[in-house]
Amino acid sequence: MDETKRIDPSMLDGKEPIAVGYKIFNYDWTGYGGYSYADESGNVEGSVHTVAGNLSKCGWGLHYCVNPVDCMRYRDLIHWNKFALVEAYDENIECPEDGKSVCRTMRIKKVLTFDEMVDACKKFKKDGYGISNGSSIN
């Protein structure tokens, strides 16, 4: 059975992330399907989540975007949403045509404020990565 669950962060001790990216969550730290990344106290930073079952390109798994601007293809960049810098572990499938990737295990490395997420988008644009979906962030 495919499921998503929180695991002990020590399970990643000694492992290097496959990739680093960004993720926008709903205001209550849920994603599509209603899975909550927050613990019972509402904390997410440092938490680790994993999925069982077969990953599927742009389907089943934990999604994130390497380019923070691509996150806006899936969730709005609005103040009441939640934002994070994330790390991918164990298995990863890139979906470049959709501007996202899907991984087996994800650590929420750092919770970002709205302004930090905007700054990450500006930095990606400034560093020459461009804006893939026509968004304009000055």
Side-chain angles (χ1 to χ4, degrees), residues 39-58:
D39 65 15
E40 54 282 344
S41 300
N43 300 315
V44 296
E45 193 165 280
S47 65
V48 178
H49 309 269
T50 193
V51 295
N54 294 321
L55 294 186
S56 136
K57 186 176 181 179
C58 303

Side-chain angles (χ1 to χ4, degrees), residues 53-66:
N54 294 321
L55 294 186
S56 136
K57 186 176 181 179
C58 303
W60 175 246
L62 301 170
H63 293 85
Y64 67 96
C65 299
V66 172

Side-chain angles (χ1 to χ4, degrees), residues 60-76:
W60 175 246
L62 301 170
H63 293 85
Y64 67 96
C65 299
V66 172
N67 180 340
V69 175
D70 284 334
C71 292
M72 291 180 278
R73 295 167 76 176
Y74 304 98
R75 289 231 174 5
D76 293 329

Side-chain angles (χ1 to χ4, degrees), residues 27-46:
Y27 69 93
D28 59 356
W29 288 108
T30 59
Y32 289 115
Y35 175 75
S36 178
Y37 290 79
D39 65 15
E40 54 282 344
S41 300
N43 300 315
V44 296
E45 193 165 280

Side-chain angles (χ1 to χ4, degrees), residues 69-116:
V69 175
D70 284 334
C71 292
M72 291 180 278
R73 295 167 76 176
Y74 304 98
R75 289 231 174 5
D76 293 329
L77 184 65
I78 49 180
H79 284 87
W80 55 82
N81 277 340
K82 305 292 186 184
F83 314 95
L85 179 68
V86 300
E87 296 174 330
Y89 292 87
D90 296 333
E91 185 179 353
N92 191 63
I93 301 172
E94 294 180 14
C95 308
E97 63 280 0
D98 294 317
K100 64 182 173 180
S101 296
V102 59
C103 65
R104 165 127 0 250
T105 304
M106 176 183 289
R107 178 195 317 257
I108 299 180
K109 176 81 172 164
K110 181 178 189 297
V111 172
L112 303 175
T113 65
F114 175 82
D115 289 340
E116 288 172 324

